[in-house]
Coordinates of all heavy atoms in Angstrom, one line a residue:
M25 N 25.4 -123.5 -48.0 CA 25.5 -123.2 -46.6 C 24.4 -123.9 -45.9 O 23.2 -124.0 -46.3 CB 25.2 -121.7 -46.4 CG 25.1 -121.3 -44.9 SD 24.6 -119.6 -44.6 CE 26.0 -118.7 -45.2
L26 N 24.8 -124.6 -44.8 CA 23.8 -125.3 -44.0 C 23.3 -124.3 -42.9 O 24.1 -123.7 -42.2 CB 24.6 -126.5 -43.3 CG 23.8 -127.3 -42.3 CD1 22.6 -128.0 -42.9 CD2 24.7 -128.3 -41.6
V27 N 22.0 -124.3 -42.8 CA 21.4 -123.4 -41.8 C 20.7 -124.3 -40.8 O 19.8 -125.1 -41.2 CB 20.4 -122.4 -42.4 CG1 19.8 -121.5 -41.3 CG2 21.1 -121.5 -43.4
L28 N 21.0 -124.2 -39.5 CA 20.4 -125.0 -38.4 C 19.8 -124.1 -37.3 O 20.3 -123.0 -37.1 CB 21.5 -125.9 -37.8 CG 22.2 -126.9 -38.7 CD1 23.3 -127.5 -37.9 CD2 21.2 -127.9 -39.2
T29 N 18.9 -124.7 -36.6 CA 18.4 -124.0 -35.4 C 18.9 -124.8 -34.2 O 18.8 -126.0 -34.2 CB 16.9 -124.0 -35.4 OG1 16.4 -123.3 -36.5 CG2 16.3 -123.4 -34.1
R30 N 19.6 -124.1 -33.3 CA 20.2 -124.8 -32.1 C 19.7 -124.0 -30.9 O 19.5 -122.8 -31.0 CB 21.7 -124.8 -32.1 CG 22.3 -125.5 -33.3 CD 22.4 -127.0 -33.2 NE 21.1 -127.7 -33.3 CZ 20.8 -128.9 -32.9 NH1 21.7 -129.6 -32.3 NH2 19.6 -129.4 -33.2
R31 N 19.6 -124.6 -29.8 CA 19.3 -124.0 -28.5 C 20.6 -124.0 -27.6 O 21.5 -124.7 -27.9 CB 18.2 -124.7 -27.8 CG 16.8 -124.5 -28.4 CD 15.8 -125.2 -27.6 NE 14.4 -124.9 -28.0 CZ 13.8 -125.3 -29.2 NH1 14.5 -126.0 -30.0 NH2 12.6 -124.9 -29.4
A32 N 20.6 -123.2 -26.6 CA 21.7 -123.1 -25.7 C 22.1 -124.6 -25.2 O 21.2 -125.3 -24.8 CB 21.5 -122.2 -24.5
G33 N 23.3 -124.9 -25.2 CA 23.8 -126.2 -24.8 C 23.8 -127.2 -25.9 O 24.4 -128.3 -25.7
E34 N 23.3 -126.9 -27.1 CA 23.3 -127.9 -28.2 C 24.5 -127.6 -29.0 O 25.0 -126.5 -29.1 CB 22.0 -127.8 -29.0 CG 20.8 -128.2 -28.3 CD 19.5 -128.1 -29.1 OE1 19.4 -127.3 -30.0 OE2 18.6 -128.9 -28.8
S35 N 25.0 -128.6 -29.8 CA 26.2 -128.5 -30.5 C 26.0 -128.9 -32.0 O 25.1 -129.6 -32.3 CB 27.3 -129.4 -29.9 OG 27.6 -129.0 -28.6
V36 N 27.0 -128.6 -32.8 CA 27.1 -129.0 -34.2 C 28.5 -129.6 -34.3 O 29.5 -128.9 -33.9 CB 26.9 -127.9 -35.2 CG1 27.1 -128.3 -36.6 CG2 25.5 -127.3 -35.0
V37 N 28.7 -130.7 -34.9 CA 30.0 -131.3 -35.1 C 30.4 -131.1 -36.6 O 29.6 -131.5 -37.5 CB 30.0 -132.8 -34.8 CG1 31.4 -133.4 -35.0 CG2 29.6 -133.0 -33.3
I38 N 31.6 -130.6 -36.9 CA 32.1 -130.4 -38.2 C 33.3 -131.3 -38.4 O 34.3 -131.2 -37.7 CB 32.4 -128.9 -38.4 CG1 31.2 -128.0 -38.2 CG2 33.0 -128.7 -39.8 CD1 31.6 -126.5 -38.2
G39 N 33.2 -132.2 -39.4 CA 34.3 -133.1 -39.7 C 34.6 -134.0 -38.5 O 33.7 -134.4 -37.8
D40 N 35.9 -134.3 -38.3 CA 36.2 -135.2 -37.2 C 36.6 -134.6 -35.9 O 36.7 -135.2 -34.9 CB 37.4 -136.1 -37.7 CG 37.0 -137.1 -38.8 OD1 35.8 -137.5 -38.8 OD2 37.9 -137.4 -39.7
G41 N 36.9 -133.3 -36.0 CA 37.4 -132.7 -34.7 C 37.0 -131.3 -34.3 O 37.5 -130.7 -33.5
I42 N 35.9 -130.8 -35.0 CA 35.5 -129.5 -34.6 C 34.0 -129.5 -34.1 O 33.1 -130.1 -34.7 CB 35.5 -128.6 -35.9 CG1 36.9 -128.5 -36.5 CG2 35.0 -127.1 -35.5 CD1 37.0 -127.8 -37.8
V43 N 33.9 -129.0 -32.9 CA 32.5 -129.0 -32.2 C 32.2 -127.5 -31.9 O 33.0 -126.8 -31.3 CB 32.5 -129.8 -30.9 CG1 31.2 -129.7 -30.3 CG2 32.9 -131.2 -31.2
V44 N 31.0 -127.1 -32.4 CA 30.6 -125.7 -32.2 C 29.4 -125.9 -31.3 O 28.4 -126.5 -31.6 CB 30.1 -125.0 -33.5 CG1 29.6 -123.6 -33.2 CG2 31.3 -125.0 -34.5
T45 N 29.4 -125.2 -30.1 CA 28.4 -125.3 -29.1 C 27.8 -124.0 -28.8 O 28.5 -123.0 -28.7 CB 29.0 -125.9 -27.7 OG1 29.6 -127.1 -28.0 CG2 27.9 -126.1 -26.7
I46 N 26.5 -123.9 -28.8 CA 25.8 -122.7 -28.4 C 25.8 -122.6 -26.9 O 25.3 -123.4 -26.2 CB 24.3 -122.7 -28.9 CG1 24.2 -123.0 -30.4 CG2 23.6 -121.4 -28.5 CD1 25.0 -122.1 -31.3
I47 N 26.4 -121.5 -26.4 CA 26.6 -121.3 -25.0 C 25.5 -120.5 -24.4 O 24.9 -120.9 -23.4 CB 27.9 -120.5 -24.7 CG1 29.1 -121.2 -25.3 CG2 28.1 -120.3 -23.2 CD1 29.4 -122.6 -24.8
D48 N 25.1 -119.4 -25.1 CA 24.0 -118.6 -24.5 C 23.4 -117.8 -25.6 O 24.1 -117.4 -26.6 CB 24.6 -117.6 -23.5 CG 23.6 -116.9 -22.7 OD1 22.5 -117.3 -22.5 OD2 24.0 -115.8 -22.2
V49 N 22.1 -117.5 -25.5 CA 21.4 -116.6 -26.4 C 20.8 -115.4 -25.7 O 20.0 -115.7 -24.7 CB 20.3 -117.4 -27.2 CG1 19.6 -116.5 -28.2 CG2 20.9 -118.6 -27.9
R50 N 21.2 -114.2 -26.0 CA 20.7 -113.0 -25.3 C 20.3 -112.0 -26.4 O 21.2 -111.5 -27.1 CB 21.7 -112.4 -24.4 CG 22.0 -113.2 -23.2 CD 23.0 -112.5 -22.3 NE 23.6 -113.4 -21.3 CZ 24.6 -113.0 -20.5 NH1 25.1 -111.9 -20.6 NH2 25.0 -113.9 -19.7
G51 N 19.0 -111.6 -26.4 CA 18.6 -110.6 -27.4 C 19.0 -111.0 -28.8 O 18.7 -112.0 -29.3
D52 N 19.8 -110.1 -29.4 CA 20.3 -110.4 -30.8 C 21.7 -110.9 -30.8 O 22.3 -111.0 -31.9 CB 20.2 -109.1 -31.7 CG 21.1 -108.0 -31.2 OD1 21.6 -108.1 -30.1 OD2 21.2 -107.0 -31.9
G53 N 22.2 -111.4 -29.7 CA 23.6 -111.9 -29.6 C 23.5 -113.4 -29.2 O 22.7 -113.9 -28.5
V54 N 24.5 -114.1 -29.8 CA 24.6 -115.6 -29.5 C 26.1 -115.8 -29.1 O 27.0 -115.4 -29.8 CB 24.3 -116.4 -30.7 CG1 24.5 -117.9 -30.4 CG2 22.8 -116.2 -31.2
R55 N 26.3 -116.4 -28.0 CA 27.7 -116.8 -27.5 C 27.9 -118.3 -28.0 O 27.0 -119.1 -27.7 CB 27.8 -116.7 -26.0 CG 27.8 -115.2 -25.6 CD 28.0 -115.1 -24.1 NE 29.3 -115.6 -23.7 CZ 29.5 -116.3 -22.6 NH1 28.6 -116.5 -21.7 NH2 30.7 -116.7 -22.3
I56 N 29.0 -118.5 -28.7 CA 29.3 -119.9 -29.1 C 30.6 -120.3 -28.6 O 31.5 -119.4 -28.4 CB 29.2 -120.0 -30.7 CG1 30.2 -119.1 -31.3 CG2 27.8 -119.7 -31.2 CD1 30.4 -119.3 -32.8
G57 N 30.8 -121.5 -28.5 CA 32.1 -122.1 -28.1 C 32.6 -123.0 -29.3 O 31.8 -123.7 -29.8
I58 N 33.9 -122.9 -29.6 CA 34.4 -123.7 -30.7 C 35.5 -124.5 -30.2 O 36.5 -124.0 -29.6 CB 34.9 -122.8 -31.8 CG1 33.7 -121.9 -32.4 CG2 35.5 -123.6 -33.0 CD1 34.1 -120.8 -33.3
D59 N 35.4 -125.8 -30.3 CA 36.4 -126.8 -29.9 C 37.0 -127.3 -31.1 O 36.3 -128.0 -31.9 CB 35.9 -127.9 -29.0 CG 36.9 -128.8 -28.4 OD1 38.1 -128.4 -28.4 OD2 36.5 -129.9 -27.9
A60 N 38.3 -127.0 -31.4 CA 38.9 -127.5 -32.7 C 40.4 -127.9 -32.4 O 41.0 -127.4 -31.4 CB 38.9 -126.4 -33.7
P61 N 41.0 -128.7 -33.2 CA 42.4 -129.1 -33.0 C 43.2 -127.8 -33.2 O 42.9 -126.9 -33.9 CB 42.6 -130.1 -34.2 CG 41.3 -130.5 -34.6 CD 40.3 -129.5 -34.3
R62 N 44.4 -127.8 -32.6 CA 45.3 -126.7 -32.7 C 45.7 -126.4 -34.1 O 46.1 -125.2 -34.4 CB 46.6 -126.9 -31.8 CG 46.3 -126.9 -30.3 CD 47.7 -126.7 -29.6 NE 47.5 -126.6 -28.2 CZ 47.3 -125.5 -27.6 NH1 47.2 -124.4 -28.3 NH2 47.2 -125.4 -26.3
S63 N 45.7 -127.4 -35.0 CA 46.1 -127.1 -36.4 C 45.0 -126.4 -37.2 O 45.3 -125.9 -38.3 CB 46.4 -128.5 -37.0 OG 45.2 -129.3 -37.0
V64 N 43.8 -126.2 -36.6 CA 42.8 -125.5 -37.3 C 42.7 -124.1 -36.8 O 42.6 -123.8 -35.6 CB 41.4 -126.2 -37.1 CG1 40.3 -125.4 -37.7 CG2 41.4 -127.6 -37.6
R65 N 42.9 -123.1 -37.7 CA 42.9 -121.7 -37.3 C 41.4 -121.3 -37.2 O 40.6 -121.5 -38.1 CB 43.6 -120.8 -38.3 CG 45.1 -121.2 -38.3 CD 45.9 -120.3 -39.2 NE 45.2 -119.7 -40.3 CZ 45.6 -118.7 -41.0 NH1 46.8 -118.2 -40.8 NH2 44.9 -118.3 -42.0
V66 N 41.1 -120.6 -36.1 CA 39.7 -120.1 -35.9 C 39.8 -118.6 -35.6 O 40.5 -118.2 -34.7 CB 39.0 -120.8 -34.7 CG1 37.6 -120.2 -34.5 CG2 38.9 -122.3 -35.0
H67 N 39.2 -117.8 -36.5 CA 39.3 -116.3 -36.3 C 37.9 -115.7 -36.5 O 37.1 -116.3 -37.3 CB 40.2 -115.7 -37.4 CG 41.6 -116.2 -37.3 ND1 42.5 -115.8 -36.4 CD2 42.3 -117.1 -38.1 CE1 43.6 -116.4 -36.6 NE2 43.5 -117.2 -37.6
R68 N 37.6 -114.6 -35.9 CA 36.4 -113.8 -36.2 C 36.6 -113.2 -37.5 O 37.7 -112.6 -37.8 CB 36.2 -112.8 -35.1 CG 35.9 -113.4 -33.8 CD 35.5 -112.4 -32.7 NE 35.7 -111.0 -33.1 CZ 36.0 -110.0 -32.2 NH1 36.3 -110.3 -31.0 NH2 36.1 -108.8 -32.6
A69 N 35.6 -113.2 -38.4 CA 35.8 -112.7 -39.7 C 36.2 -111.2 -39.8 O 37.0 -110.9 -40.6 CB 34.5 -112.9 -40.5
E70 N 35.6 -110.4 -38.9 CA 35.9 -109.0 -39.0 C 37.3 -108.7 -38.5 O 38.0 -107.8 -39.0 CB 34.9 -108.1 -38.2 CG 34.9 -108.3 -36.7 CD 34.1 -109.5 -36.2 OE1 33.7 -110.3 -37.0 OE2 34.0 -109.6 -34.9
V71 N 37.9 -109.5 -37.6 CA 39.2 -109.3 -37.1 C 40.2 -109.8 -38.2 O 41.2 -109.1 -38.5 CB 39.5 -110.1 -35.8 CG1 41.0 -110.1 -35.4 CG2 38.7 -109.5 -34.7
L72 N 39.9 -110.9 -38.9 CA 40.7 -111.4 -39.9 C 40.8 -110.4 -41.1 O 41.8 -110.1 -41.7 CB 40.2 -112.8 -40.4 CG 41.1 -113.5 -41.5 CD1 42.5 -113.7 -41.0 CD2 40.4 -114.8 -41.9
A73 N 39.6 -109.8 -41.4 CA 39.6 -108.8 -42.5 C 40.4 -107.6 -42.2 O 41.1 -107.1 -43.0 CB 38.1 -108.4 -42.8
A74 N 40.4 -107.2 -40.9 CA 41.1 -106.0 -40.5 C 42.6 -106.3 -40.6 O 43.4 -105.4 -41.0 CB 40.7 -105.6 -39.1
V75 N 43.0 -107.5 -40.1 CA 44.5 -107.8 -40.2 C 44.9 -107.9 -41.6 O 46.0 -107.4 -42.0 CB 44.7 -109.2 -39.4 CG1 46.1 -109.7 -39.7 CG2 44.5 -109.0 -38.0
E76 N 44.1 -108.5 -42.5 CA 44.5 -108.6 -43.9 C 44.6 -107.2 -44.5 O 45.6 -107.0 -45.3 CB 43.5 -109.5 -44.7 CG 43.7 -111.0 -44.3 CD 42.6 -111.8 -44.9 OE1 41.6 -111.3 -45.5 OE2 42.7 -113.0 -44.9
A77 N 43.7 -106.3 -44.2 CA 43.8 -105.0 -44.8 C 45.0 -104.2 -44.2 O 45.7 -103.5 -45.0 CB 42.5 -104.2 -44.4
A78 N 45.3 -104.4 -43.0 CA 46.5 -103.7 -42.4 C 47.8 -104.3 -43.0 O 48.7 -103.5 -43.3 CB 46.5 -103.9 -40.9
N79 N 47.8 -105.6 -43.3 CA 49.0 -106.2 -43.9 C 49.2 -105.7 -45.3 O 50.3 -105.4 -45.8 CB 48.9 -107.7 -43.9 CG 49.2 -108.3 -42.5 OD1 49.7 -107.6 -41.6 ND2 48.8 -109.5 -42.4
A80 N 48.1 -105.6 -46.1 CA 48.1 -105.1 -47.4 C 48.6 -103.6 -47.4 O 49.4 -103.2 -48.3 CB 46.8 -105.2 -48.1
Q81 N 48.1 -102.8 -46.5 CA 48.5 -101.4 -46.4 C 49.9 -101.3 -46.0 O 50.6 -100.4 -46.5 CB 47.6 -100.7 -45.4 CG 47.9 -99.2 -45.2 CD 47.7 -98.4 -46.5 OE1 46.8 -98.7 -47.3 NE2 48.5 -97.4 -46.7
A82 N 50.5 -102.2 -45.2 CA 51.8 -102.1 -44.8 C 52.8 -102.4 -46.0 O 54.0 -102.0 -45.9 CB 52.1 -103.1 -43.7
T83 N 52.4 -103.0 -47.0 CA 53.2 -103.3 -48.1 C 53.3 -102.1 -49.1 O 54.1 -102.1 -50.0 CB 52.8 -104.5 -48.9 OG1 51.5 -104.3 -49.5 CG2 52.8 -105.7 -48.0
V84 N 52.5 -101.1 -48.9 CA 52.5 -99.9 -49.8 C 53.3 -98.8 -49.2 O 52.8 -98.3 -48.1 CB 51.0 -99.5 -50.1 CG1 51.0 -98.2 -51.0 CG2 50.2 -100.6 -50.7
P85 N 54.4 -98.4 -49.7 CA 55.2 -97.3 -49.1 C 54.5 -96.0 -49.2 O 53.8 -95.7 -50.2 CB 56.5 -97.3 -49.9 CG 56.2 -97.9 -51.2 CD 55.0 -98.9 -50.9
D86 N 54.6 -95.2 -48.2 CA 54.0 -93.8 -48.3 C 54.9 -93.0 -49.2 O 56.0 -93.4 -49.6 CB 53.8 -93.2 -46.9 CG 55.1 -93.0 -46.1 OD1 56.2 -93.1 -46.8 OD2 55.1 -92.8 -44.9
E87 N 54.4 -91.8 -49.6 CA 55.1 -90.9 -50.5 C 56.5 -90.5 -50.0 O 57.5 -90.5 -50.8 CB 54.3 -89.7 -50.8 CG 53.0 -90.1 -51.6 CD 52.1 -88.8 -51.9 OE1 52.6 -87.7 -51.7 OE2 51.0 -89.0 -52.3
D88 N 56.6 -90.2 -48.7 CA 57.9 -89.8 -48.2 C 58.9 -90.9 -48.3 O 60.1 -90.7 -48.6 CB 57.8 -89.3 -46.7 CG 57.0 -88.0 -46.6 OD1 57.0 -87.3 -47.6 OD2 56.5 -87.7 -45.5
A89 N 58.5 -92.1 -47.9 CA 59.4 -93.3 -48.0 C 59.9 -93.5 -49.4 O 61.0 -93.8 -49.7 CB 58.8 -94.5 -47.4
Q90 N 58.9 -93.4 -50.3 CA 59.3 -93.7 -51.7 C 60.2 -92.6 -52.3 O 61.2 -92.9 -53.0 CB 58.0 -93.8 -52.6 CG 58.3 -94.2 -54.0 CD 58.8 -95.6 -54.1 OE1 58.3 -96.5 -53.5 NE2 59.9 -95.8 -54.8
A91 N 60.0 -91.4 -51.9 CA 60.9 -90.3 -52.3 C 62.3 -90.5 -51.8 O 63.3 -90.3 -52.5 CB 60.4 -88.9 -51.8
T92 N 62.4 -91.0 -50.5 CA 63.7 -91.3 -49.9 C 64.4 -92.4 -50.7 O 65.6 -92.3 -51.0 CB 63.6 -91.6 -48.4 OG1 62.9 -90.6 -47.8 CG2 64.9 -91.9 -47.8
V93 N 63.7 -93.5 -51.0 CA 64.3 -94.6 -51.7 C 64.8 -94.1 -53.1 O 65.9 -94.5 -53.5 CB 63.3 -95.8 -51.8 CG1 63.7 -96.8 -52.8 CG2 63.0 -96.4 -50.5
D94 N 63.9 -93.3 -53.8 CA 64.3 -92.8 -55.1 C 65.6 -92.0 -55.0 O 66.5 -92.1 -55.9 CB 63.1 -92.0 -55.7 CG 62.0 -92.9 -56.1 OD1 62.1 -94.2 -56.2 OD2 60.9 -92.4 -56.2
A95 N 65.7 -91.1 -54.0 CA 66.8 -90.3 -53.8 C 68.1 -91.1 -53.6 O 69.2 -90.8 -54.1 CB 66.6 -89.3 -52.7
L96 N 68.0 -92.1 -52.8 CA 69.1 -93.0 -52.5 C 69.5 -93.8 -53.7 O 70.7 -94.0 -54.0 CB 68.8 -94.0 -51.3 CG 68.7 -93.3 -50.0 CD1 68.1 -94.3 -49.0 CD2 70.0 -92.7 -49.5
R97 N 68.6 -94.2 -54.5 CA 68.9 -94.9 -55.8 C 69.7 -94.0 -56.7 O 70.5 -94.4 -57.5 CB 67.7 -95.5 -56.4 CG 67.2 -96.7 -55.7 CD 66.1 -97.4 -56.4 NE 65.7 -98.6 -55.7 CZ 64.5 -99.1 -55.7 NH1 63.5 -98.5 -56.4 NH2 64.3 -100.2 -55.1
A98 N 69.3 -92.7 -56.7 CA 69.9 -91.7 -57.6 C 71.4 -91.5 -57.2 O 72.3 -91.4 -58.1 CB 69.2 -90.4 -57.6
I99 N 71.7 -91.6 -55.9 CA 73.0 -91.4 -55.4 C 73.8 -92.7 -55.7 O 75.0 -92.6 -56.2 CB 73.0 -91.1 -53.9 CG1 72.3 -89.8 -53.7 CG2 74.4 -91.2 -53.3 CD1 72.1 -89.5 -52.2
R100 N 73.3 -93.8 -55.4 CA 74.0 -95.1 -55.6 C 73.0 -96.1 -56.2 O 72.2 -96.7 -55.5 CB 74.4 -95.6 -54.2 CG 75.2 -96.9 -54.3 CD 75.7 -97.3 -52.9 NE 76.2 -98.6 -52.9 CZ 76.3 -99.4 -51.9 NH1 75.9 -99.0 -50.7 NH2 76.8 -100.6 -52.0
P101 N 73.2 -96.3 -57.5 CA 72.3 -97.3 -58.2 C 72.5 -98.7 -57.6 O 73.5 -99.0 -57.0 CB 72.7 -97.3 -59.6 CG 73.8 -96.3 -59.7 CD 74.2 -95.8 -58.4
P102 N 71.4 -99.5 -57.7 CA 71.5 -100.9 -57.2 C 72.7 -101.6 -57.8 O 73.0 -101.4 -59.0 CB 70.2 -101.5 -57.6 CG 69.3 -100.4 -57.9 CD 70.1 -99.3 -58.3
A103 N 73.4 -102.5 -57.0 CA 74.5 -103.2 -57.5 C 74.0 -104.3 -58.5 O 72.9 -104.8 -58.5 CB 75.2 -103.9 -56.4
D104 N 74.9 -104.6 -59.5 CA 74.6 -105.6 -60.4 C 74.6 -107.0 -59.7 O 75.5 -107.3 -59.0 CB 75.7 -105.7 -61.5 CG 75.4 -106.7 -62.6 OD1 74.3 -107.2 -62.6 OD2 76.3 -106.9 -63.4
R105 N 73.5 -107.7 -59.8 CA 73.3 -108.9 -59.0 C 73.8 -110.2 -59.8 O 73.5 -111.3 -59.4 CB 71.9 -109.1 -58.6 CG 71.5 -107.9 -57.6 CD 70.2 -108.3 -56.9 NE 69.8 -107.2 -56.1 CZ 70.1 -107.0 -54.8 NH1 70.8 -107.9 -54.2 NH2 69.6 -106.0 -54.2
T106 N 74.4 -110.0 -60.9 CA 74.9 -111.2 -61.7 C 76.1 -111.7 -61.0 O 76.9 -111.0 -60.3 CB 75.2 -110.8 -63.1 OG1 76.2 -109.8 -63.2 CG2 74.0 -110.4 -63.8
A107 N 76.4 -113.0 -61.1 CA 77.5 -113.7 -60.5 C 78.8 -113.1 -61.1 O 78.9 -112.9 -62.4 CB 77.4 -115.2 -60.7
P108 N 79.8 -112.9 -60.3 CA 81.1 -112.5 -60.9 C 81.8 -113.5 -61.8 O 81.6 -114.7 -61.6 CB 82.0 -112.2 -59.7 CG 81.4 -113.0 -58.6 CD 79.9 -113.1 -58.9
E109 N 82.6 -113.1 -62.7 CA 83.2 -114.0 -63.6 C 84.3 -114.8 -62.8 O 85.0 -114.2 -62.0 CB 83.8 -113.3 -64.8 CG 82.7 -112.8 -65.7 CD 83.3 -112.1 -67.0 OE1 84.5 -112.5 -67.3 OE2 82.7 -111.3 -67.5
A110 N 84.5 -116.0 -63.1 CA 85.6 -116.8 -62.5 C 86.9 -116.4 -63.1 O 87.0 -116.1 -64.3 CB 85.3 -118.3 -62.7
P111 N 88.0 -116.3 -62.3 CA 89.3 -116.0 -62.8 C 89.8 -117.0 -63.8 O 89.5 -118.2 -63.7 CB 90.2 -115.9 -61.6 CG 89.4 -116.5 -60.5 CD 88.0 -116.6 -60.9
S112 N 90.5 -116.6 -64.8 CA 91.0 -117.5 -65.9 C 92.2 -118.2 -65.3 O 93.0 -117.7 -64.6 CB 91.3 -116.8 -67.2 OG 92.2 -115.8 -66.9
A113 N 92.3 -119.5 -65.7 CA 93.4 -120.3 -65.2 C 94.7 -120.2 -66.0 O 94.8 -119.8 -67.1 CB 93.0 -121.8 -65.1

């Protein structure tokens, strides 16, 4: 990790197309501006972590949903997904 000291108005250039500029420093907060190509995704770490956690939680069915799926499977088992045999000539 590179650690730098920057003042308001000063920038850091990353690679060929990313510029991070210190906009303002107030108390224990720092406002930064990030100029990057559209192809580069820029996210706040805590927001990205929350989205990833929500996505992971969304893939886990709750107990009621799982019970419903199990009941439906008991009534009608999943169809055989193998290809049907070709008719004989």
Side-chain angles (χ1 to χ4, degrees):
M25 173 186 295
L26 174 64
V27 179
L28 300 172
T29 301
R30 302 275 79 199
R31 290 182 168 73
E34 295 180 333
S35 300
V36 175
V37 178
I38 301 171
D40 292 329
I42 302 172
V43 179
V44 179
T45 303
I46 306 304
I47 304 298
D48 190 25
V49 180
R50 291 185 194 168
D52 63 349
V54 177
R55 293 181 61 215
I56 62 172
I58 302 168
D59 185 18
R62 287 195 178 274
S63 62
V64 176
R65 298 183 333 165
V66 179
H67 300 284
R68 292 184 356 213
E70 67 276 9
V71 172
L72 185 59
V75 168
E76 289 173 348
N79 287 344
Q81 181 61 32
T83 64
V84 178
D86 62 15
E87 291 177 13
D88 291 338
Q90 188 62 51
T92 302
V93 169
D94 292 342
L96 291 172
R97 284 188 177 148
I99 295 169
R100 182 175 170 206
D104 183 11
R105 298 196 184 267
T106 59
E109 293 182 25
S112 56

